[in-house]
Amino acid sequence: MSCGKPDCLIHLENVWTTYEGAECPVIRDISFDIRAGEFVVIGGPNGAGKTTLLEAITGLLPIVRGSVTVCGMGVLNEATRARCSIGYVIQNFDFHPFTPYTVEEVVRMGRYGKIGWFRRETEEDVEAARDAMRTLRIDHLKDELIGKLSGGQQQKVLIAHNLAKKPSVLLLDEPYSNLDIRTRDEVSDILCRICDSGVPVMMVSHAFDSLPDRDIRVIVMQTGRLVLNTVSKPDNVANLIRSVPVAG
Ligand SMILES: Nc1ncnc2c1ncn2[C@@H]1O[C@H](COP(=O)(O)OP(=O)(O)OP(=O)(O)O)[C@@H](O)[C@H]1O
Ligand SMILES: [Mg+2]
């Protein structure tokens, strides 16, 4: 069910989800709304369910109870259309050194959902990919094989792949984990500009030194439950997350 407010782009209502074969639900009874242009940090200890939450929003996991809508579309019953609207930079990626794709090809693949099976790439698709590479400052790597790059460079390629998609919502799982401090600041500026354009950014992170200078919605997960959902200034985010008592 959609939340009905025009600027609500992500809506979770009493969501329970799990992994195939898992004995009990991994996240339980999560509800929240994310509006256009919000910057959201998801925190909480390892194993709390942060990645699982993002995967529930992308429709990659079965929803046992409750509902998730993105841009008014149910992520399970309108999966194909909903996924075209979602950018998702995954937490763990591992490109084999001989993966036979160049950086430019990987970024252009970000357009495939929009292009569909029976259409050719247009100039707009090619330009969207080039624009994303310029934004991430990886255009000089365009002909390199993705598997031969450093972890940080690969991370930038994955972010560019998702920017090329021009998503309506952008989810990132620990996007700073492989990035040097200067690149974190650059990526933070890019994410800030994306928010300014109205696209909500939801980021799982354990690093809070490169947050954009704007109000941040802080969501804290613990043992599969949402234990804090509030808005904070960036310099108080780490304190807020630390202040949540650890479940016994
Ligand atoms: N594929 C899977 N199958 C079964 N259980 C899983 C699977 N992936 C994760 N889990 C379980 O779900 C729970 C939440 O995992 P999740 O990856 O969402 O945690 P997280 O908060 O993202 O942790 P981290 O900060 O370490 O990335 C953990 O108890 C984990 O063991
Ligand atoms: Mg995780």
Side-chain angles (χ1 to χ4, degrees):
M1 202 191 299
S2 165
C3 68
K5 296 177 208 139
D7 68 342
C8 168
L9 294 188
I10 302 175
H11 175 61
L12 273 70
E13 199 166 303
N14 307 110
V15 172
W16 299 60
T17 189
T18 192
Y19 290 93
E20 210 179 302
E23 277 176 17
C24 37
V26 172
I27 62 171
R28 299 147 189 256
D29 205 18
I30 307 277
S31 300
F32 58 75
D33 289 340
I34 305 297
R35 296 199 324 272
E38 280 198 278
F39 194 102
V40 186
V41 168
I42 305 170
N46 295 127
K50 304 179 296 296
T51 297
T52 308
L53 176 62
L54 293 189
E55 292 190 351
I57 297 172
T58 56
L60 290 173
L61 290 180
I63 293 162
V64 183
R65 251 194 268 169
S67 64
V68 179
T69 55
V70 171
C71 304
M73 293 173 278
V75 293
L76 294 185
N77 52 19
E78 293 169 272
T80 310
R81 275 198 328 126
R83 273 183 212 164
C84 281
S85 307
I86 304 171
Y88 179 34
V89 180
I90 58 174
Q91 176 176 12
N92 297 313
F93 52 88
D94 187 14
F95 290 102
H96 187 278
F98 296 109
T99 306
Y101 297 110
T102 65
V103 166
E104 183 165 23
E105 285 166 339
V106 173
V107 176
R108 277 160 80 159
M109 284 174 203
R111 300 291 299 173
Y112 285 7
K114 286 207 156 62
I115 294 170
W117 287 105
F118 302 110
R119 254 188 58 213
R120 283 175 161 273
E121 274 180 304
T122 63
E123 195 48 42
E124 186 192 346
D125 297 316
V126 174
E127 196 41 49
R130 297 215 169 123
D131 196 31
M133 286 192 292
R134 278 192 293 270
T135 303
L136 270 296
R137 298 182 205 272
I138 52 169
D139 31 347
H140 62 292
L141 299 172
K142 71 183 180 61
D143 297 322
E144 302 288 331
L145 287 177
I146 179 89
K148 305 275 186 190
L149 301 184
S150 76
Q153 289 169 325
Q154 290 178 350
Q155 188 120 14
K156 287 198 252 182
V157 175
L158 287 185
I159 296 173
H161 167 100
N162 279 282
L163 292 195
K165 194 171 177 180
K166 297 201 187 298
S168 303
V169 307
L170 180 60
L171 315 178
L172 306 102
D173 201 348
E174 302 197 27
Y176 295 156
S177 56
N178 289 302
L179 302 182
D180 62 64
I181 189 79
R182 202 161 143 211
T183 310
R184 283 183 191 190
D185 288 344
E186 283 173 10
V187 169
S188 169
D189 286 346
I190 294 164
L191 297 180
C192 207
R193 290 205 301 273
I194 292 171
C195 271
D196 287 341
S197 74
V199 173
V201 170
M202 285 188 89
M203 175 175 90
V204 172
S205 189
H206 299 291
F208 308 110
D209 51 352
S210 298
L211 292 176
D213 187 18
R214 60 190 299 140
D215 283 347
I216 310 277
R217 178 169 296 283
V218 183
I219 286 179
V220 180
M221 298 287 297
Q222 210 172 79
T223 54
R225 290 191 184 272
L226 188 158
V227 291
L228 183 73
N229 179 1
T230 189
V231 175
S232 162
K233 294 294 172 201
D235 51 5
N236 198 36
V237 170
N239 282 338
L240 264 174
I241 292 176
R242 259 193 224 107
S243 72
V244 175
V246 178

